[in-house]
Amino acid sequence: MCIGHFTVFFTVVFFHEWIDYPWSLISVVLVLSPEGTDAPDLALARIKANLVGASVGVALLFSQISSPWNIAIGAALALFLCDRLKLNTAARSTLAAVIIILLHQEGVNLWSSALIRVGAVITGCVLGLAITYIFHSIFKINTLAINSEAPKKEREG
């Protein structure tokens, strides 16, 4: 997680005009999968779910439904789409993306802030995938399952 924080920080230092730091950080944290052999697959599923959530959020911006109704409708719609796309393991990522896109401050240009947040979500997803890929493919991090039967059998046998 610490590496994700620093990666987002250094990316935002160079692209602060186009990327909103807190939203990128949230997306990185949601995409990262620090353990398990299926970490890259889980990260990809979370990215797909983030993109579903971001798409639903942008679509609801066109509808101009008032808050908090837009978030409730967006959450329901995004979860339905994730279920249809078999992305249930990444459902929390889609909810976070919907909320990130639909939250906005009053008096701020709705579309420019939404596009900045979409960029933040996509940046966070890409950085999270890159970090997961580096640590699980290149460094071949292997973690033992907490309740693994193999160590128990070795002690008994």
Side-chain angles (χ1 to χ4, degrees):
M1 297 294 174
C2 196
I3 291 172
H5 174 74
F6 287 121
T7 305
V8 170
F9 174 76
F10 288 118
T11 303
V12 170
V13 165
F14 294 108
F15 301 106
H16 65 280
E17 296 289 324
W18 302 287
I19 300 171
D20 199 1
Y21 175 74
W23 302 124
S24 284
L25 190 58
I26 289 170
S27 291
V28 160
V29 169
L30 287 173
V31 168
L32 283 177
S33 180
E35 53 190 43
T37 57
D38 63 343
D41 294 334
L42 185 56
L44 284 172
R46 289 176 179 170
I47 288 173
K48 291 174 187 175
N50 261 319
L51 294 176
V52 167
S55 300
V56 168
V58 169
L60 281 173
L61 286 175
F62 284 112
S63 71
Q64 297 192 3
I65 298 171
S66 64
S67 190
W69 293 105
N70 61 352
I71 294 174
I73 292 168
L77 184 58
L79 287 174
F80 175 76
L81 289 173
C82 279
D83 183 57
R84 297 287 117 208
L85 296 170
K86 307 224 183 309
L87 296 171
N88 293 332
T89 59
R92 70 179 182 159
S93 293
T94 200
L95 292 175
V98 167
I99 292 168
I100 288 170
I101 302 303
L102 292 177
L103 282 180
H104 67 279
Q105 298 172 350
E106 294 299 322
V108 175
N109 185 345
L110 177 68
W111 287 103
S112 65
S113 64
L115 289 176
I116 288 172
R117 291 190 305 267
V118 168
V121 168
I122 291 171
T123 301
C125 289
V126 169
L127 292 174
L129 179 64
I131 292 167
T132 300
Y133 177 76
I134 289 169
F135 279 93
H136 289 278
S137 295
I138 295 174
F139 294 127
K140 303 282 186 198
I141 294 177
N142 294 320
T143 58
L144 292 175
I146 294 173
N147 294 324
S148 177
E149 294 293 324
K152 291 178 186 176
K153 289 182 180 178
E154 286 179 16
R155 281 184 251 137
E156 292 173 0

